[in-house]
Amino acid sequence: MLLLTATAFVVGWRSPLILLALPTLAWRLLSSNASYWSVSFHYDLVLWPVAVLAAVDAVRRHRLAERAWLRPVAVLSGLAVMASGLTLLVDKGIDPRAAFSRSAELADLDRLMVGVPAGATVAAQNHLGPYLTPRFEVTMLGTGRPERVRYVVLAADRRPEFQAPPCARDQLLRDLRGQPGVMIRQVGDLVLADLGSSRPAGLRACPAG
């Protein structure tokens, strides 16, 4: 709520457009998923445009640009949003300059998927799936997922991943390598498994301890 208020430059609460944010806030309050309130995920993406438009509308509607107190409020709100965004990037180890270049991992992903027919069903790790959705029918690779897919895409590295920890990915690869009809290809740290037919490819939970 504080970030929503800051993004709306505070004055956005004086615009009726801010009401567009209420349904999203309501289902968050009714949900038991704490991740909906985390800035580490994408759930705030639908709220930020609403907050900015509400701020612009409030300034226009109430002629707030003529009021002396608005400028410091807007500046402080903008600085708060920028500071929180930069803090999040630093915490996640993200270099903002990477937005203007294509990573080596994505180049490996392109090479890995050569030969996979468009529209194929693919289970992919959370950080890889968004890059595959324009060409394939993608579901998230995770623990106990029931979706039936033909292909599995994962990273054979030690990075932590939502619903797909390294131990579970290692176990899946060991299981697949022992199955007839499964073809596995690797480019860099990325692995593509062709299961030969459509079937569930959910990960098994890592053993306790």
Side-chain angles (χ1 to χ4, degrees), residues 117-134:
T121 53
V122 179
Q125 276 184 235
N126 198 40
H127 79 285
L128 298 172
Y131 300 101
L132 300 176
T133 53

Side-chain angles (χ1 to χ4, degrees), residues 121 123 139 141-142 144-152 172 176 179 195 197-203:
T121 53
T139 186
L141 179 66
R145 303 281 296 200
E147 296 88 352
R148 302 177 67 88
V149 297
R150 171 69 184 267
Y151 299 90
V152 175
L172 177 64
L176 292 177
Q179 296 180 15
L195 305 181
S197 62
S198 180
R199 53 181 161 128
L203 299 174

Side-chain angles (χ1 to χ4, degrees), residues 78-181:
L79 290 175
V81 172
M82 290 178 60
S84 63
L86 290 173
T87 300
L88 179 62
L89 291 176
V90 171
D91 181 63
K92 296 295 182 182
I94 299 173
D95 184 352
R97 294 172 297 180
F100 303 98
S101 62
R102 189 169 177 80
S103 70
E105 184 178 55
L106 292 183
D108 288 345
L109 184 62
D110 286 340
R111 291 195 295 272
L112 187 72
M113 302 305 291
V114 170
V116 178
T121 53
V122 179
Q125 276 184 235
N126 198 40
H127 79 285
L128 298 172
Y131 300 101
L132 300 176
T133 53
R135 292 177 289 164
F136 309 106
E137 185 178 335
V138 180
T139 186
M140 186 178 71
L141 179 66
T143 305
R145 303 281 296 200
E147 296 88 352
R148 302 177 67 88
V149 297
R150 171 69 184 267
Y151 299 90
V152 175
V153 178
L154 54 82
D157 57 19
R158 311 316 299 166
R159 85 178 76 182
E161 183 77 82
F162 178 66
Q163 293 243 343
C167 58
R169 303 197 306 264
D170 291 346
Q171 182 62 56
L172 177 64
L173 286 177
R174 285 194 295 268
D175 292 344
L176 292 177
R177 287 193 172 104
Q179 296 180 15

Side-chain angles (χ1 to χ4, degrees), residues 5 7 10 14 19-22 39-41 53 55 65 81 88 97 111 144 156 159 167 181 188 196 198 202 204:
T5 299
T7 308
V10 179
R14 300 190 63 181
L19 296 176
L20 295 174
L22 295 184
V39 295
S40 298
F41 299 103
L53 288 175
V81 172
L88 179 62
R97 294 172 297 180
R111 291 195 295 272
R159 85 178 76 182
C167 58
S198 180
R204 288 191 285 164

Side-chain angles (χ1 to χ4, degrees), residues 44-69:
D44 281 338
L45 189 61
V46 296
L47 293 178
W48 285 53
V50 172
V52 172
L53 288 175
V56 173
D57 180 65
V59 170
R60 178 194 61 82
R61 185 183 298 269
H62 299 288
R63 302 175 62 90
L64 297 179
E66 301 173 4
R67 305 189 184 186
W69 58 268

